[in-house]
Amino acid sequence: MELLRNLSEQIDTQFSLHFPIKSYITGVARFLVVISFIEDSSRIVLQWSEQLHYLRNQRGLSSTVGQIFLGLNVLTMLAGSFLVITKRHTKIAVGGLFAAVISQIIGYGLFLEFQFFLRNISILGGLLMLLAEGLNKPKSTFPGLLAPYHFDPSRYFQLSGRILLIILFLYLVFPQQITPVSLTFSAMGIISSFMIVVGFKVKFSAVLLVLFLTAFNVVMNNWWSVHHNHPARDYLRYDFFQVLSIVGGLILLINLGPGTLSVDEKKKNF
């Protein structure tokens, strides 16, 4: 326990320092959050007829409505991703990407596929972290004077974002095979997730989840090793890039911290 405590304090200290590399980490995190949208856009364009066939025959949409649905999703995802990466009009970009996720959940019936649904909910958490990062903090006009009360929505976006981010992880940590190792690993994952929700040692816990999800993604979603004609390749690639987006959201959480609605923040005030 003492070793974990020292390690968490070192991680908190390192990510609180304002090294030039911190801005690069934030840029990488923003790119990772939207990488699944970029991949999904390319998938729709390259598989346009297949996507349209699915919407028409499985979801009951007409060809015209299906074409409009796919076109709007591609334009929204590409434009939103570009704005996020370039740090322009973050609110509009996140709103558009948020709408794209919701529309795809409804349009493709993803709420009927439990794991797909959870993964998209976690991606919404990453978008909320982007929104929290993009909001400007109010500053006092005169140094030394208290700033007037100002409603700060970023605190609620950070709280909601960190809760949504760990939803997929909670699904993944429940072991399919009961062994001492899997139970130990699951317990650590559940504890880390709970710490993120309540906002205690958030940076340390988020680092653990980033390491786990990265290893899990490379081992379980290795789409590059599957033959290009195999039907599983598309599913694995979809999963791979979506988990990358969740990792990006966790890196943003590490960089931003848990926000004021957290145990970590309360401890600073005592």
Side-chain angles (χ1 to χ4, degrees), residues 29-95:
R30 294 173 72 89
F31 175 73
L32 289 178
V33 169
V34 300
I35 194 171
S36 63
F37 295 100
I38 298 173
E39 190 276 336
D40 199 23
S41 299
S42 66
R43 177 196 303 274
I44 291 175
V45 172
L46 295 175
Q47 300 177 355
W48 188 273
S49 58
E50 292 91 338
Q51 299 275 343
L52 192 59
H53 180 270
Y54 175 83
L55 292 173
R56 186 172 58 245
N57 292 282
Q58 299 298 323
R59 302 299 299 165
L61 300 182
S62 66
S63 295
T64 302
V65 173
Q67 297 268 11
I68 295 173
F69 174 80
L70 294 176
L72 285 177
N73 268 277
V74 169
L75 290 175
T76 301
M77 290 189 291
L78 289 179
S81 299
F82 174 78
L83 292 175
V84 165
I85 293 172
T86 58
K87 301 187 73 171
R88 300 177 182 175
H89 307 293
T90 300
K91 294 180 183 179
I92 297 175
V94 171

Side-chain angles (χ1 to χ4, degrees), residues 6-269:
N6 293 335
L7 181 58
S8 68
E9 289 175 356
Q10 290 178 15
I11 290 174
D12 285 347
T13 301
Q14 290 299 321
F15 280 96
S16 296
L17 297 177
H18 297 283
F19 289 123
I21 194 174
K22 189 172 182 179
S23 61
Y24 294 107
I25 293 176
T26 304
V28 171
R30 294 173 72 89
F31 175 73
L32 289 178
V33 169
V34 300
I35 194 171
S36 63
F37 295 100
I38 298 173
E39 190 276 336
D40 199 23
S41 299
S42 66
R43 177 196 303 274
I44 291 175
V45 172
L46 295 175
Q47 300 177 355
W48 188 273
S49 58
E50 292 91 338
Q51 299 275 343
L52 192 59
H53 180 270
Y54 175 83
L55 292 173
R56 186 172 58 245
N57 292 282
Q58 299 298 323
R59 302 299 299 165
L61 300 182
S62 66
S63 295
T64 302
V65 173
Q67 297 268 11
I68 295 173
F69 174 80
L70 294 176
L72 285 177
N73 268 277
V74 169
L75 290 175
T76 301
M77 290 189 291
L78 289 179
S81 299
F82 174 78
L83 292 175
V84 165
I85 293 172
T86 58
K87 301 187 73 171
R88 300 177 182 175
H89 307 293
T90 300
K91 294 180 183 179
I92 297 175
V94 171
L97 294 176
F98 211 95
V101 172
I102 299 299
S103 70
Q104 289 197 21
I105 289 176
I106 297 173
Y108 287 101
L110 294 180
F111 48 84
L112 301 175
E113 299 288 341
F114 189 60
Q115 189 171 353
F116 283 91
F117 178 74
L118 291 182
R119 193 178 292 111
N120 279 275
I121 293 298
S122 291
I123 287 178
L124 292 181
L127 293 178
L128 289 176
M129 296 304 298
L130 276 174
L131 193 56
E133 183 209 26
L135 292 175
N136 295 322
K137 306 292 183 180
K139 297 181 179 179
S140 176
T141 306
F142 302 100
L145 294 180
L146 291 176
Y149 173 77
H150 183 88
F151 176 70
D152 181 16
S154 66
R155 60 194 303 205
Y156 300 103
F157 290 133
Q158 283 178 265
L159 173 62
S160 303
R162 70 175 194 256
I163 292 174
L164 293 182
L165 276 172
I166 56 91
I167 287 179
L168 175 66
F169 186 81
L170 284 175
Y171 175 81
L172 294 176
V173 295
F174 285 100
Q176 296 180 347
Q177 296 181 346
I178 306 299
T179 65
V181 175
S182 65
L183 287 176
T184 302
F185 179 78
S186 297
M188 292 179 60
I190 292 170
I191 292 171
S192 298
S193 299
F194 176 76
M195 290 168 65
I196 287 179
V197 170
V198 301
F200 177 67
K201 295 295 182 183
V202 166
K203 294 181 181 180
F204 172 70
S205 301
V207 167
L208 290 182
L209 296 194
V210 165
L211 294 176
F212 167 80
L213 282 178
T214 301
F216 172 88
N217 210 20
V218 172
V219 173
M220 301 301 295
N221 296 326
N222 54 343
W223 58 273
W224 54 87
S225 65
V226 180
H227 191 273
H228 65 275
N229 288 328
H230 197 287
R233 180 184 174 94
D234 250 8
Y235 290 103
L236 289 174
R237 188 176 68 178
Y238 179 81
D239 290 351
F240 179 83
F241 283 100
Q242 287 220 317
V243 173
L244 271 186
S245 287
I246 298 169
V247 169
L250 287 169
I251 295 175
L252 277 177
L253 176 59
I254 296 169
N255 193 48
L256 287 174
T260 56
L261 298 177
S262 64
V263 174
D264 286 345
E265 188 66 25
K266 298 297 182 184
K267 288 171 62 179
K268 293 178 182 179
N269 298 326

